[in-house]
Amino acid sequence: MLLRPLYFLLLLTLGATQLTACAQVPDKVPTAAAGAPAAAQLPWLRHLLDSSAVLRPHLVGLVLADADSGQVLFAQNDAKYFAPASNMKLFTLYAGLKLLPDSLPSLRYFSRGDTLFFQGTGDPTFLHGDVPSRRAFDFLQKAPGLLASCDIACSPPYGPGWPWDDFGYYFQPERGAFPIYGHTVRFYAQPPVGKVPSRLRVLPRHFAPLTGPVPAALRTPNIDADTHVIRALDENRFYVVAPFNKKWIDEVPFRTSRAFTLRLLGDTLRRPLVGAPWRPRPTDAVRTLRGLPVDSLYRRMLRVSDNFLAEQLLLMASTTVGLHDSLSTQRVIRFVRKKYFGTLPDPVAWADGSGLSRQNLVTPRTLVALLVRLHQEVPERRLLSLLAAGGHQGTLRRRYHDAAGPWVWGKTGSLTNNTNLSGYLRTKSGRLLAFTFLNNNHVADSGDVRNEMERVLRQVRARL
């Protein structure tokens, strides 16, 4: 009976000691304790998110991990699924790194008699306005004899879940087996200079006769103030809705078809073409013409978030999977998901190469696991050079400035009501973190969300 008061006194003492220890949790913990929720390891960061008037109303996913070890330092909503938008291009990059050679496959061909038979492989760089390659152009233009263009089955021009009414915007060109000019028309308004009147240059010039003033029937109040040229829904007719007294440049996708590609290619090469089936004989030597270094495509795709290049990259990668009888986005997605992504934390709902589709869904912890894997498999200098660099170039050139140089390298991802960023962050202590910061279903202005993301990440940089 005398021991019972001493027993309770001992319990009270131990409880007080534990409460004191909990009250003295350090503000910065370098690693997550085994079995403890990662979000509890950085209470100051959790407070930043919870107290933000901009971030609090919508769904926020944030995961930080050590880029070398993969150890998670912080996680909020890490197991929930988000629409990643263009962050899906990181999965497309991984597919390309695993399946494509060091230089792009530009076209496949074989010769028989005086005829060169050739077939597209999805290479998007044929006279592309931003990553142009003349390798295939020069090869076809100088080839002796007759040119026979052979069709190949290909995924539909638009991906699943793409918005139909974005057909006229530069960011949604049609996919195809043999792209030419990036499947877009470029318009250059040139204001008057001296006695030279204003004029409009149209490239390729094939589309100049198809361009004119907008008819009254198509003039609607719904035309965006920043729009200069619009296209008819079902045909290659382009209508100018902006004056030429100021300099501007616009890009509008054109409609593709097998017959139109043949005609445009023949007009570009300035030599006759015929269409023919792809039927190589056992004695025919089928070869692949190589084009630009593959990093030139990755770099453009990731830095400026080029949707067309991402889509074409998956089509090219599909030539290395299974038979060569078609170019299939879904075939390569199924292959990569099964062969390489089985060990990721969660299954990936993967619909396209660009992230345009809202059918894409991924968890923050899976995105960070992919970033850690990329860092483990690709030399760091090369990997960071492919991404947009804060304060320097790409989609991050106007944010994350620092006089000492870049400290954030990432891939942005934006859809209406969704603003995301995933990549790598160098802390003041020199540590490289893999991170993903996803914001879905917000009604706040996207600029306000980006400002708040930068405020939070600057704190991460300073305190870790």
Side-chain angles (χ1 to χ4, degrees), residues 42-255:
L42 299 175
W44 59 267
L45 182 51
R46 182 61 177 266
H47 176 72
L48 272 180
L49 300 177
D50 291 346
S51 63
S52 170
V54 175
L55 302 180
R56 194 168 56 246
H58 62 260
L59 183 63
V60 176
L62 176 60
V63 176
L64 306 174
D66 186 275
D68 290 319
S69 68
Q71 187 171 25
V72 175
L73 309 180
F74 180 86
Q76 176 161 307
N77 291 324
D78 59 320
K80 293 185 181 296
Y81 277 90
F82 288 74
S86 283
N87 280 195
M88 284 305 298
K89 291 183 176 73
L90 294 169
F91 292 90
T92 300
L93 168 68
Y94 194 83
L97 291 169
K98 288 297 183 182
L99 299 178
L100 289 176
D102 292 338
S103 56
L104 301 176
S106 287
L107 54 84
R108 300 173 69 226
Y109 68 94
F110 67 89
S111 297
R112 187 186 302 155
D114 64 349
T115 302
L116 177 74
F117 297 82
F118 67 95
Q119 185 180 62
T121 58
D123 181 3
T125 64
F126 189 95
L127 302 182
H128 191 284
D130 299 307
V131 279
S133 172
R134 292 185 60 91
R135 183 77 191 278
F137 176 85
D138 292 340
F139 175 78
L140 294 176
Q141 192 177 57
K142 296 175 183 177
L146 182 66
L147 289 181
S149 176
C150 304
D151 202 7
I152 183 172
C154 187
S155 291
Y158 294 133
W162 289 12
W164 73 267
D165 55 345
D166 283 345
F167 72 91
Y169 289 101
Y170 73 95
F171 56 77
Q172 193 170 292
E174 298 181 9
R175 304 183 294 195
F178 198 105
I180 179 170
Y181 297 108
H183 283 171
T184 60
V185 186
R186 295 197 175 196
F187 301 88
Y188 301 83
Q190 298 179 327
V193 178
K195 296 182 179 181
V196 180
S198 60
R199 65 190 184 101
L200 183 71
R201 290 178 59 224
V202 181
L203 295 177
R205 285 178 289 181
H206 179 95
F207 293 94
L210 304 175
T211 303
V214 62
L218 292 180
R219 280 198 173 274
T220 71
N222 296 327
I223 296 177
D224 192 284
D226 295 327
T227 298
H228 306 100
V229 181
I230 60 175
R231 198 199 81 202
L233 175 62
D234 294 320
E235 59 179 339
N236 284 320
R237 293 284 176 182
F238 301 87
Y239 304 105
V240 182
V241 297
F244 306 159
N245 57 350
K246 291 184 179 180
K247 184 177 181 179
W248 52 259
I249 301 174
D250 207 352
E251 297 177 59
V252 181
F254 60 78
R255 287 297 307 271

Side-chain angles (χ1 to χ4, degrees), residues 378-432:
V378 182
E380 184 178 295
R381 184 174 181 180
R382 178 192 179 194
L383 178 60
L384 299 185
S385 76
L386 301 178
L387 298 165
H392 285 258
Q393 40 76 3
T395 55
L396 296 178
R397 67 188 182 281
R398 296 177 180 174
R399 294 186 176 274
Y400 303 96
H401 291 272
D402 191 272
W407 57 278
V408 167
W409 300 264
K411 180 72 209 70
T412 55
S414 302
L415 291 170
T416 303
N417 309 118
N418 295 339
T419 303
N420 308 316
L421 177 63
S422 298
Y424 304 94
L425 183 155
R426 183 82 68 186
T427 68
K428 286 286 185 70
S429 66
R431 190 177 193 179
L432 187 69

